[in-house]
């Protein structure tokens, strides 16, 4: 999906902006660095957030690989609370769920402007 987002954005990227850079005397690297990359920044932030969210919420691979309790991810820790003896303590489960959601919410609050712009500029509706 990340490659698709960048591909869709670059398909709609106006060639006139690149040509204007060449007319002003910039070489290919300068056009890429000063014109294309700043325009692609919202799409890159969007794909970074989507990738982070996918890795943060992963359950299957860490459950297969991690054997020590102190190396568990947050998702595995919450699953352990539900599947073990602490199932009768819903307050502990809800508190751990809120704590696990806070980093994602904070990152989303700071990156919201770029994420919305990245989806709207790439053509995904």
């Amino acid at each position: 999906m990340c490659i698709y987002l960048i591909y869709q954005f670059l398909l709609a990227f106006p060639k006139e902006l690149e040509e204007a850079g060449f007319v002003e005397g910039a070489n290919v690297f300068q056009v890429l660095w000063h014109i294309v990359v700043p325009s692609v920044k919202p799409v890159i932030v969007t794909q970074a957030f989507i990738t982070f969210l996918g890795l943060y919420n992963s359950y299957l691979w860490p459950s297969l690989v991690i054997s020590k309790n102190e190396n568990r991810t947050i998702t595995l820790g919450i699953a352990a609370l539900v599947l073990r003896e602490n199932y009768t303590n819903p307050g502990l489960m809800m508190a751990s769920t809120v704590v696990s959601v806070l980093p994602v919410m904070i990152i989303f609050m700071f990156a919201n402007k770029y994420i919305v712009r990245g989806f709207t500029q790439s053509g995904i509706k």
Side-chain angles (χ1 to χ4, degrees):
M1 178 164 171
C2 295
I3 293 172
Y4 179 71
L5 275 174
I6 292 176
Y7 177 73
Q8 283 298 110
F9 177 79
L10 291 176
L11 279 180
F13 192 76
K15 299 286 184 201
E16 292 83 13
L17 288 176
E18 294 176 26
E19 292 170 358
F22 290 128
V23 167
E24 292 293 325
N27 60 20
V28 174
F29 181 73
Q30 289 173 330
V31 168
L32 180 70
W33 188 253
H34 294 290
I35 296 174
V36 177
V37 170
S39 299
V40 177
K41 187 170 40 169
V43 177
I44 292 172
V45 170
T46 302
Q47 88 176 27
F49 181 74
I50 290 171
T51 304
F52 168 75
L53 196 59
L55 292 173
Y56 189 75
N57 288 330
S58 65
Y59 175 77
L60 181 62
W61 179 248
S63 68
L64 294 173
V65 175
I66 297 174
S67 59
K68 296 181 182 178
N69 285 339
E70 52 269 357
N71 293 340
R72 283 188 180 158
T73 61
I74 291 177
T75 310
L76 290 177
I78 293 173
L81 286 175
V82 172
L83 298 176
R84 298 226 176 135
E85 67 276 354
N86 291 329
Y87 183 67
T88 59
N89 191 352
L92 181 63
M93 290 188 313
M94 292 304 292
S96 63
T97 304
V98 168
V99 168
S100 71
V101 170
L102 282 178
V104 176
M105 293 298 291
I106 291 170
I107 291 171
F108 182 75
M109 285 186 338
F110 287 117
N112 184 23
K113 174 177 69 170
Y114 294 109
I115 292 170
V116 170
R117 192 179 307 156
F119 275 121
T120 57
Q121 287 181 352
S122 64
I124 295 178
K125 307 236 186 272

